[in-house]
């Protein structure tokens, strides 16, 4: 019976890697048999080796580890049909064709509509290469044909554009955000619906998502806490500005933060988009129940789904969870299923930094733990309060901001 690895989630979702009689390396290097575009993956991350009639997966001293069914492997793991492998932000399933024990997950092939859009023009934006894939659609590099300036163009899946109520909600939300201008909020140039697709055009920043930065943290080589504090101040300033306009982000995660070449170029993206698209962080990303990338950063109240009643303190929680991940390389809570992760978010406390052999000032750890409180009323009362406390820490330790 043929064996293969199917990518269930991640930038390469839908790809299939047949497994043969030779070992297969998986990683970000084009020299590997299992080349992946996921920036969270090490250049050579893991290896799958055939042994008689079975396959064994071995971590290749990767930066972030190789996980099978939610547990990090420390030596070697003999794969069983249906096993879920996670490397970086890529989730793969080991499938034995014809094995009735294999869950019949319907894996989508890479969509054709993205390649069809390349070279086309939406409104006055000419689309070139895709930059990233998200739950709601794709992000493209594009040019404004009026002045040939570079922009980032997010195009949502066509099924979203078929619901007029959702389209109207999307347009109203984008109208509220477009006039805003803040040094740490990504500027929106335009939004609308063209043909089947809703879209948003924003400024293009040459840099990485914070998610990619966290994914590349090597074991034992964490980000400096002073730099993390600076980023926290910039993002708190952005939230303070947005909250002052009565706008709640609801999805402050590393995926929605761009880190430029300089720390002061940090930008928070997708303001109001979670609300506009009614994005539900509790929706699994596959039939296997794998949690979305955003769920580990959601506040306990946000885990009630898109109908949850939230205020600015949910953004404070998510920002603190993001800063925690910058310091440790992982969010405060992790789980192999949506239900397991939600239970941890609602009931567990985050590990102290000393558990990761990380030294940070006591006042910074106390502040982040307070921001991660289960009850909103136990967190700082506003983004302005959080910003002030972070600035006080920066001043105490001579951190330039």
């Amino acid at each position: 019976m043929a064996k293969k690895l199917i990518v269930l989630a991640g930038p390469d979702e839908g790809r299939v890697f047949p497994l043969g009689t030779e070992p297969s390396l998986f990683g970000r290097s084009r020299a590997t048999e299992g080349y992946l575009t996921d920036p969270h993956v090490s250049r050579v991350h893991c290896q799958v080796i055939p042994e008689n009639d079975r396959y064994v997966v071995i971590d290749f001293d990767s930066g972030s580890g190789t996980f099978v069914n939610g547990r990090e492997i420390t030596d070697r793991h003999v794969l069983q049909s249906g096993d879920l492998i996670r490397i970086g932000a890529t989730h793969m399933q080991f499938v034995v064709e014809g094995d009735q024990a294999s869950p019949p997950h319907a894996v989508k092939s890479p969509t054709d509509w993205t390649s069809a859009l390349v070279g086309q023009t939406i409104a006055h934006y000419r689309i070139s290469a895709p930059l990233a894939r998200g739950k709601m659609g794709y992000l493209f590099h594009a040019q404004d044909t009026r002045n040939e300036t570079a922009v980032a163009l997010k195009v949502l899946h066509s099924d979203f554009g078929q619901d007029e109520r959702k389209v109207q909600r999307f347009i109203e939300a984008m109208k509220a955000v477009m006039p805003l201008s803040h040094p740490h909020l990504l500027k929106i140039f335009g939004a609308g619906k063209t043909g089947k697709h809703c879209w948003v055009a924003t400024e293009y920043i040459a840099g990485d998502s914070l998610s990619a930065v966290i994914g590349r943290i090597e074991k034992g080589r964490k980000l400096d806490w002073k730099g993390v504090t600076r980023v926290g101040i910039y993002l708190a300033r952005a939230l303070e500005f947005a909250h002052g306009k009565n706008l709640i982000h609801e999805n402050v995660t590393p995926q929605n933060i761009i880190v430029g070449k300089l720390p002061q170029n940090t930008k928070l993206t997708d303001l109001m988009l979670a609300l506009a698209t009614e994005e539900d962080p509790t929706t699994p990303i596959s039939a296997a129940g794998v949690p979305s990338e955003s769920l580990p950063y959601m506040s306990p109240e946000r885990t009630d789904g898109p109908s949850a009643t939230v205020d600015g303190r949910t953004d404070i929680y998510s920002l603190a969870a993001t800063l925690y991940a910058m310091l440790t390389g992982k969010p405060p809570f992790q789980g192999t299923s949506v239900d397991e992760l939600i239970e941890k978010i609602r009931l567990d406390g985050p590990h102290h930094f000393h558990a990761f052999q990380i030294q940070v000032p006591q006042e910074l750890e106390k502040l982040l733990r307070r921001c991660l409180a289960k009850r909103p009323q136990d967190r700082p009362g506003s983004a302005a309060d959080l910003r002030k406390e972070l600035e006080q820490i920066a001043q105490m330790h001579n951190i330039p901001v």
Side-chain angles (χ1 to χ4, degrees):
M1 291 184 287
K3 284 89 170 175
K4 56 190 176 183
L5 287 177
I6 300 176
V7 182
L8 298 179
D12 300 283
E13 180 182 343
R15 291 187 64 189
V16 177
F17 296 101
L19 300 175
T21 58
E22 298 295 327
S24 297
L25 290 171
F26 288 81
R28 209 161 26 87
S29 169
R30 291 183 180 273
T32 60
E33 294 80 8
Y35 165 62
L36 297 165
T37 61
D38 183 356
H40 300 228
V41 170
S42 297
R43 290 186 61 79
V44 180
H45 199 108
C46 68
Q47 187 174 36
V48 178
I49 302 172
E51 288 186 353
N52 299 321
D53 195 34
R54 62 183 188 176
Y55 285 86
V56 176
V57 60
I58 301 172
D59 186 74
F60 224 72
D61 196 26
S62 66
S64 55
T66 298
F67 297 78
V68 178
N69 301 325
R71 296 184 179 277
E72 185 173 9
I73 62 174
T74 55
D75 184 17
R76 45 195 280 122
H77 177 90
V78 178
L79 291 170
Q80 305 293 324
S81 183
D83 276 354
L84 294 171
I85 302 171
R86 178 174 66 80
I87 59 175
T90 295
H91 298 259
M92 301 184 288
Q93 186 170 44
F94 177 65
V95 173
V96 179
E97 287 187 347
D99 187 344
Q100 296 302 314
S102 293
H105 299 313
V107 179
K108 298 179 181 178
S109 319
T111 48
D112 293 330
W113 67 269
T114 54
S115 56
L117 283 177
V118 174
Q120 302 297 314
T121 300
I122 286 184
H124 46 83
Y125 301 104
R126 185 172 59 250
I127 299 172
S128 52
L131 295 171
R133 178 177 185 161
K135 288 175 64 178
M136 298 300 299
Y138 276 82
L139 183 68
F140 294 89
H141 190 278
Q143 286 78 38
D144 188 333
T145 58
R146 299 173 303 179
N147 51 25
E148 293 301 319
T149 57
V151 300
L153 188 71
K154 178 167 287 190
V155 182
L156 306 187
H157 292 293
S158 59
D159 54 357
F160 180 86
Q162 295 175 3
D163 188 323
E164 286 303 320
R165 182 188 64 83
K166 288 184 177 180
V167 171
Q168 190 58 38
R169 185 183 179 94
F170 167 80
I171 292 174
E172 290 301 319
M174 293 302 100
K175 283 182 179 178
V177 177
M178 282 172 57
L180 302 184
S181 179
H182 186 274
H184 301 298
L185 280 178
L186 197 69
K187 177 63 179 174
I188 295 180
F189 296 136
K193 183 186 178 188
T194 301
K196 298 179 181 179
H197 298 286
C198 290
W199 54 270
V200 185
T202 69
E203 63 177 316
Y204 174 75
I205 301 294
D208 281 329
S209 74
L210 184 56
S211 177
V213 173
I214 293 172
R216 289 198 295 266
I217 294 176
E218 298 293 329
K219 291 179 179 177
R221 294 177 58 194
K222 308 301 182 185
L223 297 177
D224 178 67
W225 71 266
K226 293 184 178 181
V228 173
T229 301
R230 291 181 71 186
V231 169
I233 290 171
Y234 299 142
L235 295 173
R237 289 173 178 174
L239 289 176
E240 179 182 2
F241 176 79
H243 293 175
K245 305 293 184 181
N246 296 317
L247 302 176
I248 311 300
H249 193 291
E250 295 194 25
N251 201 24
V252 179
T253 68
Q255 294 85 4
N256 290 329
I257 296 167
I258 297 175
V259 181
K261 294 181 179 180
L262 299 173
Q264 54 266 39
N265 292 338
T266 300
K267 300 272 187 176
L268 180 62
T269 74
D270 286 0
L271 177 63
M272 290 288 285
L273 196 59
L275 178 64
T277 58
E278 299 180 316
E279 183 175 345
D280 183 357
T282 65
T283 300
I285 58 176
S286 78
V290 177
S292 68
E293 285 187 281
S294 60
L295 182 56
Y297 299 92
M298 295 298 103
S299 64
E301 63 271 22
R302 185 79 169 91
T303 63
D304 289 333
S307 60
T309 301
V310 300
D311 57 25
R313 292 170 294 185
T314 194
D315 288 345
I316 290 174
Y317 179 102
S318 295
L319 175 54
T322 297
L323 299 179
Y324 185 99
M326 291 181 71
L327 291 164
T328 66
K330 59 188 68 177
F333 308 105
Q334 295 177 290
T336 58
S337 70
V338 168
D339 290 342
E340 179 191 0
L341 180 52
I342 287 177
E343 183 177 8
K344 289 183 177 181
I345 291 172
R346 292 177 176 176
L347 300 177
D348 291 0
H351 291 295
H352 288 274
F353 290 127
H354 64 71
F356 301 95
Q357 298 182 331
I358 297 171
Q359 299 295 324
V360 302
Q362 187 177 35
E363 55 270 17
L364 177 59
E365 177 161 7
K366 284 184 176 180
L367 174 58
L368 293 182
R369 293 183 72 84
R370 188 152 50 90
C371 292
L372 293 171
K374 305 301 180 187
R375 302 191 310 167
Q377 59 266 39
D378 293 331
R379 301 171 202 153
S382 67
D385 291 338
L386 173 58
R387 186 260 307 162
K388 291 175 184 176
E389 292 197 52
L390 286 170
E391 288 179 344
Q392 288 173 357
I393 293 172
Q395 186 175 15
M396 289 170 56
H397 296 274
N398 298 315
I399 302 172
V401 292

